[in-house]
Amino acid sequence: MQTDSTVQATLIAWQAQLEDVRRRRVERGGGHAGLAKPQQVLGKTGLQVMMALLEGELPHPYMADTFDCELIEVGEGLAVFQATPQLKHYNPLGSVHGGWYATLLDFALGCAVQTKLPAGLGYTTSQINLNIVRAANTNTGPLRCIGNAIHVGRQIGTSEARIVGPDGKLYAHATTTCAIFEAVSKVS
């Protein structure tokens, strides 16, 4: 079990990393939502696309603004997002909606698969299985969703992800199956 000082140190580190990512994006003219133009992604591997998103060279998806979700880190087979539950994420019964967990997990699950794709291929989620094991609320603070690719082949990719707090407590976990396909390669 982590001590209060360890948890506080983790929160400080998470906030510093978040601020650094946001600063770099804005400095490069990014930090806004939008759709990437085909010529911006043409010839790039999935990891190169994800790095361009992280660095603000490509706009982030509109959905990230809706969920106040930030891409924090990417690597080969890895995608890490940070989000903080807010009142707007509650269901009518007064708790964080299951769709919030599912969406955050789907971000990390799919992006972990994308980081393993060669240029010219895309993916879509075809199945997601999730388990919510701890309730989050407006007092929870920031949570991290860490996605790791398990297998990425020619037609199918699978990954797993976990939503954790700065104290290491697990809030939800999921697995996904993604269909892999040839992306549209024409630039208009």
Side-chain angles (χ1 to χ4, degrees):
M1 185 158 174
Q2 294 188 359
T3 65
D4 287 343
S5 62
T6 305
V7 172
Q8 189 60 31
T10 300
L11 276 171
I12 291 168
W14 283 10
Q15 187 61 30
Q17 186 179 17
L18 177 65
E19 289 171 9
D20 183 51
V21 164
R22 287 178 173 166
R23 180 188 47 76
R24 283 195 329 262
R25 285 183 189 149
V26 170
E27 286 174 357
R28 290 184 167 95
H32 60 278
L35 300 173
K37 295 178 177 69
Q39 62 268 26
Q40 291 178 290
V41 297
L42 188 64
K44 287 188 166 114
T45 67
L47 182 57
Q48 289 170 325
V49 169
M50 292 304 301
M51 289 300 298
L53 282 166
L54 180 64
E55 297 300 326
E57 296 163 15
L58 293 176
H60 61 265
Y62 291 105
M63 190 67 132
D65 284 351
T66 301
F67 281 81
D68 296 313
C69 173
E70 293 279 351
L71 176 63
I72 296 296
E73 184 179 335
V74 293
E76 184 78 22
L78 172 73
V80 180
F81 289 83
Q82 183 169 314
T84 303
Q86 299 173 30
L87 191 57
K88 68 182 180 178
H89 302 132
Y90 276 39
N91 63 31
L93 300 176
S95 61
V96 173
H97 193 282
W100 183 85
Y101 299 94
T103 301
L104 184 56
L105 287 159
D106 191 44
F107 272 125
L109 291 162
C111 291
V113 167
Q114 183 171 351
T115 65
K116 304 275 285 179
L117 295 179
L121 292 182
Y123 76 94
T124 190
T125 301
S126 60
Q127 180 179 335
I128 185 170
N129 299 303
L130 74 105
N131 298 280
I132 300 168
V133 298
R134 176 174 278 109
N137 59 56
T138 55
N139 296 321
T140 302
L143 299 172
R144 288 270 171 115
C145 188
I146 303 155
N148 290 287
I150 298 170
H151 166 80
V152 179
R154 291 186 325 209
Q155 296 178 322
I156 298 292
T158 60
S159 62
E160 58 189 2
R162 301 164 62 91
I163 298 175
V164 296
D167 55 2
K169 287 183 180 174
L170 179 67
Y171 284 79
H173 58 97
T175 58
T176 194
T177 301
C178 294
I180 297 172
F181 53 85
E182 188 173 334
V184 177
S185 60
K186 295 180 182 177
V187 177
S188 338

